[in-house]
Amino acid sequence: MSRIVVVGSINMDIVNQVEKFPLPGETIHGKGVDYLPGGKGANQAVAAALAGGQVEMLGAVGEDSFAPALLESLGRYGVGTKHVLRKPGTSGLAFITVADSGENQIILAEGSNGQVRPEDADESLLAGAHAVILQNEIPWETNLRVMQACRRLGGVRLVYNPAPVHPIPEEAYGLIDLLVVNETEAEGLSGLPVTNAEEASAAAEELVRRGAGSVLVTLGSKGAVYSDAEGESLFAPARKVRAVDTTAAGDTFIGALVAAGSNGMPIAEAMSFAAAAAAIAVTRPGAQASIPSREEIERSLA
Ligand code: ATP
């Protein structure tokens, strides 16, 4: 089995439930707090490991009391943590307040994620990997260094999920083998409207034209489209399920897709596998806690 390396964020989500949000200057009582390991990098690593990938995480936790819990949680899901660094200060934190209306407010404190530096991108770990997955919750300079290293090393599939979205420098598109974006990110990057599969395909083709080897646009309950530089176009419908919490749908899709690819599954089949994984995740509450195992995904496809 070939290795997947996720270079990205590790957060502790501190989730407080309230009846309604406080006004500026107001103090209110919350109904109870949950501490839930999260972060896009960690979520995608967990999704890839549970879906049958051999996964190593490269990122950082702080020197606080959250760090051991974050490492323990990754390990429990089968993610390798030998390359998770300890940095001075706090771990990445997400302060999430959920009101009874279902709306949420999130304040991110990047903590040690902001300290994952270009020189931390250990090339001996990247070399020989089947795929490396990046997001936008660590410094861009580090992502760029990883992209350049993968291109130089050759044979490593560079998967980039630019979330939260910010513009990709023109010259970086050519370093990306698979760009995975949701509707908002596809619109933001391509400058084109993306409200359905047809428009998503046009946006994907525009991003391929800029130099990405292939582009996958996820469209929530409307499925996902794929276009590549060889002119292949694919569509994977979303599975019909009753969604209760779509948190980490995208992260589950990406992790499962890359895990399937690392086990030799062709892209069309891998998209159906990933759609099945994400469909299970949206039927359960939480982020990492909602991500299914390979067995569960296969059972749902049988
Ligand atoms: P998030 O930010 O919540 O993690 P995202 O915006 O990155 O999600 P989406 O495009 O919403 O990603 O979803 C990714 C994939 O998950 C979709 O392509 C689809 O396969 C699956 N999915 C999402 N929502 C649903 C749903 N309601 N029913 C079935 N499948 C869904």
Side-chain angles (χ1 to χ4, degrees):
M1 185 166 48
S2 40
R3 189 158 38 89
I4 297 165
V5 180
V6 179
V7 184
S9 57
I10 304 169
N11 284 340
M12 183 61 89
D13 294 347
I14 303 176
V15 186
N16 199 349
Q17 183 80 36
V18 297
E19 197 179 313
K20 41 188 187 35
F21 296 124
L23 298 169
E26 188 184 5
T27 300
I28 61 166
H29 283 282
K31 296 186 186 179
V33 174
D34 275 322
Y35 294 88
L36 303 171
K40 281 197 164 293
N43 291 348
Q44 293 178 15
V46 166
L50 285 176
Q54 185 202 322
V55 184
E56 278 296 327
M57 179 91 209
L58 199 165
V61 292
E63 280 175 343
D64 54 4
S65 56
F66 294 120
L70 292 170
L71 292 170
E72 192 272 329
S73 172
L74 283 169
R76 190 157 24 87
Y77 286 115
V79 175
T81 56
K82 272 204 314 279
H83 300 268
V84 176
L85 307 165
R86 280 282 183 126
K87 300 277 186 174
T90 62
S91 298
L93 301 175
F95 300 94
I96 304 175
T97 310
V98 183
D100 284 352
S101 64
E103 287 176 302
N104 63 34
Q105 290 182 338
I106 303 177
I107 300 173
L108 282 177
E110 65 173 1
S112 47
N113 296 312
Q115 297 186 58
V116 182
R117 310 238 182 266
E119 57 273 22
D120 293 329
D122 179 354
E123 290 202 12
S124 66
L125 176 65
L126 306 176
H130 163 79
V132 171
I133 315 179
L134 299 170
Q135 315 77 27
N136 272 347
E137 291 185 342
I138 59 168
W140 163 252
E141 303 74 58
T142 307
N143 277 349
L144 182 60
R145 175 74 71 89
V146 171
M147 289 179 183
Q148 290 165 335
C150 289
R151 181 48 47 99
R152 193 160 8 88
L153 291 163
V156 184
R157 191 164 169 72
L158 194 288
V159 181
Y160 181 36
N161 170 223
V165 69
H166 55 67
I168 301 175
E170 200 74 20
E171 61 279 11
Y173 276 96
L175 301 171
I176 302 163
D177 296 304
L178 174 63
L179 182 68
V180 186
V181 286
N182 67 13
E183 288 168 277
T184 322
E185 292 145 10
E187 281 192 354
L189 292 174
S190 70
L192 299 169
V194 179
T195 58
N196 55 41
E198 202 176 307
E199 290 177 351
S201 290
E205 281 161 21
E206 162 61 19
L207 298 173
V208 168
R209 201 188 53 70
R210 291 191 198 169
S214 58
V215 176
L216 203 152
V217 184
T218 63
L219 300 159
S221 59
K222 299 192 288 289
V225 303
Y226 168 93
S227 286
D228 68 24
E230 280 77 52
E232 176 143 47
S233 267
L234 299 167
F235 172 68
R239 293 169 73 87
K240 290 216 178 342
V241 291
R242 211 159 64 84
V244 301
D245 179 359
T246 61
T247 310
D251 293 337
T252 303
F253 189 99
I254 293 169
L257 182 89
V258 177
S262 77
N263 288 320
M265 208 184 269
I267 182 70
E269 217 181 308
M271 283 172 70
S272 301
F273 181 82
I280 297 171
V282 303
T283 63
R284 311 201 277 227
Q288 291 177 9
S290 72
I291 300 172
S293 68
R294 179 181 186 163
E295 292 69 37
E296 265 188 292
I297 303 166
E298 285 172 346
R299 230 181 296 128
S300 81
L301 283 166

